[in-house]
Short mmCIF file of all heavy atoms in Angstrom, two decimals:
data_model
loop_
_atom_site.label_atom_id
_atom_site.label_comp_id
_atom_site.label_asym_id
_atom_site.label_seq_id
_atom_site.Cartn_x
_atom_site.Cartn_y
_atom_site.Cartn_z
N THR A 1 0.83 -1.18 0.00
CA THR A 1 0.00 0.00 0.00
C THR A 1 0.88 1.25 0.00
O THR A 1 1.75 1.40 0.86
CB THR A 1 -0.93 0.04 1.22
OG1 THR A 1 -1.75 -1.13 1.24
CG2 THR A 1 -1.84 1.27 1.14
N PHE A 2 0.64 2.12 -0.95
CA PHE A 2 1.37 3.38 -1.09
C PHE A 2 0.51 4.49 -0.49
O PHE A 2 -0.65 4.65 -0.87
CB PHE A 2 1.64 3.64 -2.58
CG PHE A 2 2.49 4.84 -2.91
CD1 PHE A 2 3.20 5.52 -1.94
CD2 PHE A 2 2.59 5.27 -4.22
CE1 PHE A 2 3.98 6.63 -2.26
CE2 PHE A 2 3.38 6.36 -4.56
CZ PHE A 2 4.07 7.04 -3.58
N SER A 3 1.07 5.24 0.43
CA SER A 3 0.36 6.35 1.04
C SER A 3 1.31 7.52 1.24
O SER A 3 2.52 7.38 1.07
CB SER A 3 -0.27 5.94 2.37
OG SER A 3 0.71 5.57 3.31
N ARG A 4 0.75 8.67 1.59
CA ARG A 4 1.59 9.83 1.84
C ARG A 4 0.98 10.71 2.91
O ARG A 4 -0.23 10.71 3.11
CB ARG A 4 1.87 10.63 0.56
CG ARG A 4 0.68 11.41 -0.03
CD ARG A 4 -0.27 10.52 -0.77
NE ARG A 4 -1.14 11.28 -1.66
CZ ARG A 4 -2.26 10.82 -2.19
NH1 ARG A 4 -2.66 9.57 -1.91
NH2 ARG A 4 -2.98 11.58 -3.00
N ASP A 5 1.84 11.45 3.56
CA ASP A 5 1.45 12.41 4.58
C ASP A 5 1.91 13.77 4.09
O ASP A 5 3.08 14.13 4.22
CB ASP A 5 2.08 12.06 5.92
CG ASP A 5 1.64 12.98 7.04
OD1 ASP A 5 1.08 14.05 6.78
OD2 ASP A 5 1.87 12.62 8.22
N ASN A 6 1.00 14.51 3.49
CA ASN A 6 1.36 15.79 2.90
C ASN A 6 1.87 16.79 3.95
O ASN A 6 2.77 17.58 3.67
CB ASN A 6 0.16 16.39 2.17
CG ASN A 6 -0.20 15.65 0.90
OD1 ASN A 6 0.58 14.84 0.39
ND2 ASN A 6 -1.38 15.92 0.37
N ALA A 7 1.30 16.75 5.14
CA ALA A 7 1.69 17.69 6.18
C ALA A 7 3.14 17.50 6.60
O ALA A 7 3.81 18.46 6.99
CB ALA A 7 0.77 17.56 7.39
N ASN A 8 3.64 16.27 6.53
CA ASN A 8 5.00 15.98 6.95
C ASN A 8 5.93 15.69 5.78
O ASN A 8 7.08 15.29 5.98
CB ASN A 8 5.00 14.80 7.92
CG ASN A 8 4.37 15.14 9.24
OD1 ASN A 8 4.89 15.98 9.98
ND2 ASN A 8 3.24 14.51 9.54
N ASN A 9 5.44 15.89 4.56
CA ASN A 9 6.25 15.72 3.36
C ASN A 9 6.92 14.34 3.32
O ASN A 9 8.12 14.22 3.05
CB ASN A 9 7.30 16.82 3.24
CG ASN A 9 6.68 18.20 3.11
OD1 ASN A 9 5.63 18.36 2.50
ND2 ASN A 9 7.34 19.20 3.67
N THR A 10 6.13 13.34 3.60
CA THR A 10 6.64 11.97 3.66
C THR A 10 5.71 11.04 2.91
O THR A 10 4.48 11.17 3.01
CB THR A 10 6.78 11.50 5.11
OG1 THR A 10 7.62 12.41 5.83
CG2 THR A 10 7.39 10.11 5.18
N MET A 11 6.28 10.09 2.17
CA MET A 11 5.48 9.05 1.56
C MET A 11 5.94 7.69 2.08
O MET A 11 7.09 7.53 2.51
CB MET A 11 5.52 9.11 0.04
CG MET A 11 6.88 9.23 -0.59
SD MET A 11 6.69 9.55 -2.38
CE MET A 11 8.39 9.58 -2.89
N TYR A 12 5.02 6.73 2.04
CA TYR A 12 5.24 5.44 2.66
C TYR A 12 4.90 4.31 1.70
O TYR A 12 4.06 4.44 0.81
CB TYR A 12 4.36 5.28 3.90
CG TYR A 12 4.53 6.37 4.93
CD1 TYR A 12 3.71 7.48 4.94
CD2 TYR A 12 5.53 6.28 5.90
CE1 TYR A 12 3.85 8.48 5.88
CE2 TYR A 12 5.68 7.27 6.85
CZ TYR A 12 4.85 8.37 6.84
OH TYR A 12 5.01 9.35 7.78
N LEU A 13 5.55 3.20 1.92
CA LEU A 13 5.19 1.96 1.25
C LEU A 13 5.05 0.88 2.32
O LEU A 13 6.05 0.43 2.89
CB LEU A 13 6.23 1.54 0.22
CG LEU A 13 5.87 0.31 -0.61
CD1 LEU A 13 4.69 0.60 -1.54
CD2 LEU A 13 7.07 -0.17 -1.43
N GLN A 14 3.81 0.51 2.61
CA GLN A 14 3.54 -0.57 3.55
C GLN A 14 3.58 -1.88 2.79
O GLN A 14 2.84 -2.07 1.82
CB GLN A 14 2.17 -0.38 4.20
CG GLN A 14 1.78 -1.50 5.16
CD GLN A 14 2.65 -1.54 6.40
OE1 GLN A 14 2.90 -0.51 7.01
NE2 GLN A 14 3.12 -2.73 6.75
N MET A 15 4.44 -2.79 3.21
CA MET A 15 4.64 -4.06 2.52
C MET A 15 4.25 -5.19 3.47
O MET A 15 4.88 -5.38 4.51
CB MET A 15 6.09 -4.20 2.07
CG MET A 15 6.59 -3.05 1.21
SD MET A 15 8.28 -3.31 0.58
CE MET A 15 9.19 -3.28 2.13
N ASN A 16 3.23 -5.93 3.09
CA ASN A 16 2.75 -7.07 3.86
C ASN A 16 2.92 -8.35 3.07
O ASN A 16 3.08 -8.33 1.85
CB ASN A 16 1.28 -6.87 4.23
CG ASN A 16 1.03 -5.67 5.09
OD1 ASN A 16 1.85 -5.30 5.93
ND2 ASN A 16 -0.14 -5.04 4.90
N SER A 17 2.86 -9.47 3.77
CA SER A 17 2.97 -10.78 3.14
C SER A 17 4.18 -10.85 2.22
O SER A 17 4.10 -11.30 1.07
CB SER A 17 1.68 -11.11 2.37
OG SER A 17 0.56 -11.10 3.22
N LEU A 18 5.31 -10.43 2.73
CA LEU A 18 6.51 -10.34 1.91
C LEU A 18 6.98 -11.72 1.46
O LEU A 18 6.87 -12.71 2.18
CB LEU A 18 7.62 -9.63 2.68
CG LEU A 18 7.46 -8.10 2.73
CD1 LEU A 18 8.31 -7.52 3.85
CD2 LEU A 18 7.83 -7.49 1.39
N LYS A 19 7.51 -11.74 0.25
CA LYS A 19 8.02 -12.95 -0.37
C LYS A 19 9.50 -12.78 -0.68
O LYS A 19 9.97 -11.66 -0.86
CB LYS A 19 7.27 -13.24 -1.68
CG LYS A 19 5.76 -13.34 -1.54
CD LYS A 19 5.10 -13.49 -2.90
CE LYS A 19 3.59 -13.57 -2.78
NZ LYS A 19 2.94 -13.69 -4.12
N PRO A 20 10.25 -13.88 -0.77
CA PRO A 20 11.66 -13.75 -1.13
C PRO A 20 11.89 -12.98 -2.43
O PRO A 20 12.89 -12.27 -2.55
CB PRO A 20 12.12 -15.21 -1.25
CG PRO A 20 11.23 -15.94 -0.30
CD PRO A 20 9.89 -15.26 -0.42
N GLU A 21 10.98 -13.10 -3.38
CA GLU A 21 11.13 -12.39 -4.64
C GLU A 21 10.93 -10.89 -4.52
O GLU A 21 11.15 -10.15 -5.47
CB GLU A 21 10.19 -12.96 -5.72
CG GLU A 21 8.75 -13.09 -5.28
CD GLU A 21 8.40 -14.49 -4.80
OE1 GLU A 21 9.19 -15.07 -4.04
OE2 GLU A 21 7.33 -15.00 -5.20
N ASP A 22 10.50 -10.41 -3.35
CA ASP A 22 10.43 -8.98 -3.10
C ASP A 22 11.78 -8.39 -2.73
O ASP A 22 11.91 -7.16 -2.61
CB ASP A 22 9.44 -8.67 -1.97
CG ASP A 22 8.00 -9.01 -2.33
OD1 ASP A 22 7.58 -8.74 -3.48
OD2 ASP A 22 7.28 -9.55 -1.46
N THR A 23 12.78 -9.23 -2.53
CA THR A 23 14.11 -8.75 -2.19
C THR A 23 14.64 -7.83 -3.28
O THR A 23 14.70 -8.21 -4.45
CB THR A 23 15.06 -9.93 -1.98
OG1 THR A 23 14.63 -10.69 -0.84
CG2 THR A 23 16.49 -9.45 -1.74
N ALA A 24 15.02 -6.62 -2.89
CA ALA A 24 15.48 -5.62 -3.86
C ALA A 24 15.91 -4.37 -3.10
O ALA A 24 15.67 -4.24 -1.90
CB ALA A 24 14.36 -5.27 -4.84
N VAL A 25 16.53 -3.46 -3.83
CA VAL A 25 16.73 -2.11 -3.33
C VAL A 25 15.52 -1.29 -3.76
O VAL A 25 15.16 -1.28 -4.94
CB VAL A 25 18.02 -1.48 -3.87
CG1 VAL A 25 18.16 -0.04 -3.38
CG2 VAL A 25 19.23 -2.30 -3.44
N TYR A 26 14.89 -0.63 -2.82
CA TYR A 26 13.68 0.14 -3.08
C TYR A 26 14.01 1.63 -3.11
O TYR A 26 14.72 2.14 -2.24
CB TYR A 26 12.62 -0.14 -2.02
CG TYR A 26 11.95 -1.48 -2.19
CD1 TYR A 26 12.63 -2.66 -1.91
CD2 TYR A 26 10.64 -1.57 -2.66
CE1 TYR A 26 12.02 -3.89 -2.09
CE2 TYR A 26 10.03 -2.80 -2.84
CZ TYR A 26 10.72 -3.95 -2.56
OH TYR A 26 10.11 -5.18 -2.75
N TYR A 27 13.49 2.31 -4.13
CA TYR A 27 13.74 3.72 -4.35
C TYR A 27 12.43 4.50 -4.37
O TYR A 27 11.46 4.06 -4.97
CB TYR A 27 14.45 3.95 -5.69
CG TYR A 27 15.76 3.24 -5.85
CD1 TYR A 27 15.82 1.95 -6.34
CD2 TYR A 27 16.95 3.88 -5.53
CE1 TYR A 27 17.03 1.30 -6.49
CE2 TYR A 27 18.16 3.24 -5.69
CZ TYR A 27 18.20 1.95 -6.17
OH TYR A 27 19.41 1.32 -6.34
N CYS A 28 12.43 5.68 -3.77
CA CYS A 28 11.28 6.56 -3.92
C CYS A 28 11.59 7.60 -4.98
O CYS A 28 12.75 7.94 -5.24
CB CYS A 28 10.88 7.21 -2.59
SG CYS A 28 12.13 8.23 -1.79
#
C-alpha cells in the first residue's frame, strides 16, 4: 500500500505478506 502524509512531506510503502522475490533495493 502506497500512502503519503502531505503535512509531513513523507510518503510510505507498507509491505505485507513479503516474499523472497520482493528482495530488492527500493527507491522513492
Side-chain angles (χ1 to χ4, degrees):
T1 302
F2 185 12
S3 63
R4 71 282 198 197
D5 183 345
N6 290 346
N8 291 295
N9 298 325
T10 304
M11 48 189 183
Y12 304 94
L13 185 68
Q14 178 67 47
M15 305 184 295
N16 298 326
S17 301
L18 283 162
K19 304 174 181 179
E21 50 263 45
D22 294 319
T23 295
V25 177
Y26 285 72
Y27 301 87
C28 60

